[in-house]
Amino acid sequence: MTSLPSLLSMMSQLIATPSISCSQASWDQSNKGVILLLENWLTGLGFQCEIMPLPGQPDKVNLIATIGEGAGGLVLSGHTDTVPYDEDRWQSDPFKLNERDNKLYGLGTCDMKGFFAIVIDTLKNMDLSKLEQPLIILATADEESSMDGARALVKEGRPKARYALIGEPTSLTPIHAHKGIMMEKVRITGQAGHSSNPALGSNALDAMHAVMSELMIYRNGLKQTYRDANFVIDYPTMNFGCIHGGDNPNRICGRCELEFDIRALPGMDNQSLYQEITALLPRIEQNTGTQIELHHLFPDVPSFSTQKESDIIKACERLTQKDAATVAFATEGPFLNQLGMETLILGPGSIDQAHQPNEFMALDQIAPMQHVIKGLVERYCLTPSTENEASRV
Ligand SMILES: [Zn+2]
């Protein structure tokens, strides 16, 4: 038996090690401290650990920890970063694990440092000396801000395994699909001038009216074309989130900007949507004498979908006694699928507590999650792949 810290001790150490990622530089931190803790514990369990800095970002690192070998196997994956926090609204120190009312409070308890502690604690009590297929623990950087950690892994083409589980908080429900997210900005540059004579300028607000009309027609077309009954909102959405432009009623508006998001269904391609929207703009430019540009506000996240018939979905439905479902948030799932793994999202804690003050994981989430992890490791790593294939038929 390896001597590792207790589950609660691992969780408190992870929580006590800040690893905020944020597009605002004043909040953004390295995740190395968390990675080094995981590396230390996993090495103690016999894993080979590889720390991979993100290209051009030496303070941001992914960890690939591997034990066993073979073509199949299982990845257990999570992100090591957290969102920023609002100190005034926390009832306890967000970096100090605090147990009260059968809940563990702290920043990252459910989203999702607690998952790693549960994984390592489960593995500590298993015999990993007889693995037939590899078991890989993957810990990524910057999921909350840019998903650059997962994007870097796709570029590297690693890790490879047959199946993957991402332990995002889903209240222990297996998740087989989510929508994609794109966030875009339309910038219209016209020509300002005195309002008394429209010929003195090109009105960016007039042009924006035309852009919004076209986008609404386009949105309606998407809604008519695509449906997926797996989702509560069963069509792709486009939301106009904010608009800024102009300064005075007696001045022709010289510039206007609109920000919107699109949440596409599985099977839809973000790049195609972007190209189709771009193609709507030249005609409006011509008609209004303005310049119109479309920019990404953030790199897009593709939609995610794994066949409900996939063995790992079926296995997790049995282990949790819950049917696979969909969620309304994005994960690193599409990137792991791009790496060729059949991926599902399933983890302890609720997304309702994630990204909130007083984030917690309820204690009753821990044992069922350990049951899932043990079941998957037995099925995909402790069983020869041929038996596994046979049982899949
Ligand atoms: Zn998360």
Side-chain angles (χ1 to χ4, degrees), residues 6-310:
S6 69
L7 171 60
L8 287 191
S9 167
M10 284 192 280
M11 214 184 281
S12 5
Q13 292 182 57
L14 293 169
I15 298 301
T17 309
S19 56
I20 291 166
S21 86
C22 186
S23 53
Q24 277 174 268
S26 58
W27 274 108
D28 197 47
Q29 298 175 325
S30 171
N31 69 324
K32 262 188 189 165
V34 172
I35 292 283
L36 291 177
L37 285 172
L38 297 176
E39 182 199 28
N40 184 23
W41 298 329
L42 288 165
T43 304
L45 284 174
F47 281 78
Q48 298 283 337
C49 291
E50 188 183 352
I51 293 180
M52 303 163 72
L54 269 51
Q57 301 181 73
D59 285 343
K60 305 283 191 171
V61 295
N62 291 326
L63 171 71
I64 301 179
T66 308
I67 187 167
E69 50 192 41
L74 175 70
V75 166
L76 299 173
S77 180
H79 60 82
T80 55
D81 58 322
T82 71
V83 290
Y85 61 100
D86 184 349
E87 191 151 32
D88 298 343
R89 294 172 63 205
W90 275 79
Q91 283 165 13
S92 56
D93 183 343
F95 298 105
K96 203 158 174 224
L97 194 70
N98 188 295
E99 183 180 340
R100 49 183 199 271
D101 310 327
N102 295 318
K103 294 168 185 148
L104 297 166
Y105 288 87
L107 180 64
T109 44
C110 78
D111 189 16
M112 56 177 287
K113 294 175 171 179
F115 168 74
F116 288 112
I118 293 173
V119 166
I120 293 170
D121 187 67
T122 310
L123 299 180
K124 185 170 77 175
N125 297 308
M126 294 183 75
D127 180 4
L128 299 180
S129 65
K130 298 190 177 60
L131 290 178
E132 302 279 353
Q133 297 293 320
L135 171 62
I136 298 167
I137 310 301
L138 177 62
T140 63
D142 278 12
E143 190 270 349
E144 298 288 6
S145 48
S146 60
M147 301 214 183
D148 278 350
R151 292 177 207 276
L153 292 167
V154 171
K155 285 210 182 92
E156 285 275 325
R158 301 183 53 211
K160 295 274 187 213
R162 177 76 199 262
Y163 298 107
L165 173 142
I166 301 177
E168 290 277 6
T170 68
S171 305
L172 303 166
T173 300
I175 299 301
H176 69 95
H178 62 65
K179 291 180 178 178
I181 301 184
M182 320 164 55
M183 296 199 189
E184 309 297 317
K185 175 192 282 214
V186 178
R187 173 180 293 157
I188 303 184
T189 310
Q191 174 68 52
H194 197 276
S195 65
S196 57
N197 181 358
L200 292 177
S202 311
N203 195 311
L205 275 169
D206 285 11
M208 187 58 85
H209 177 261
V211 168
M212 289 173 75
S213 300
E214 285 291 338
L215 286 177
M216 286 162 80
I217 292 165
Y218 181 71
R219 172 171 73 185
N220 205 29
L222 293 179
K223 188 176 172 182
Q224 301 304 324
T225 311
Y226 298 99
R227 280 289 150 107
D228 187 333
N230 287 307
F231 291 88
V232 178
I233 308 302
D234 65 354
Y235 54 90
T237 58
M238 175 194 290
N239 177 62
F240 297 152
C242 69
I243 188 164
H244 299 285
D247 35 38
N248 273 307
N250 60 355
R251 194 155 188 252
I252 294 169
C253 174
R255 176 178 275 215
C256 186
E257 294 184 343
L258 168 74
E259 296 181 4
F260 63 97
D261 78 351
I262 297 182
R263 291 167 190 260
L265 291 166
M268 298 172 69
D269 174 42
N270 288 349
Q271 303 323 313
S272 308
L273 298 173
Y274 183 79
Q275 282 162 15
E276 284 166 13
I277 291 171
T278 305
L280 300 172
L281 304 177
R283 197 172 53 83
I284 303 172
E285 283 183 315
Q286 260 179 3
N287 292 346
T288 57
T290 57
Q291 269 186 339
I292 310 180
E293 299 152 76
L294 187 64
H295 294 287
H296 299 304
L297 285 167
F298 295 100
D300 69 292
V301 180
S303 57
F304 161 70
S305 175
T306 296
Q307 292 287 326
K308 272 189 186 167
E309 293 69 35
S310 168

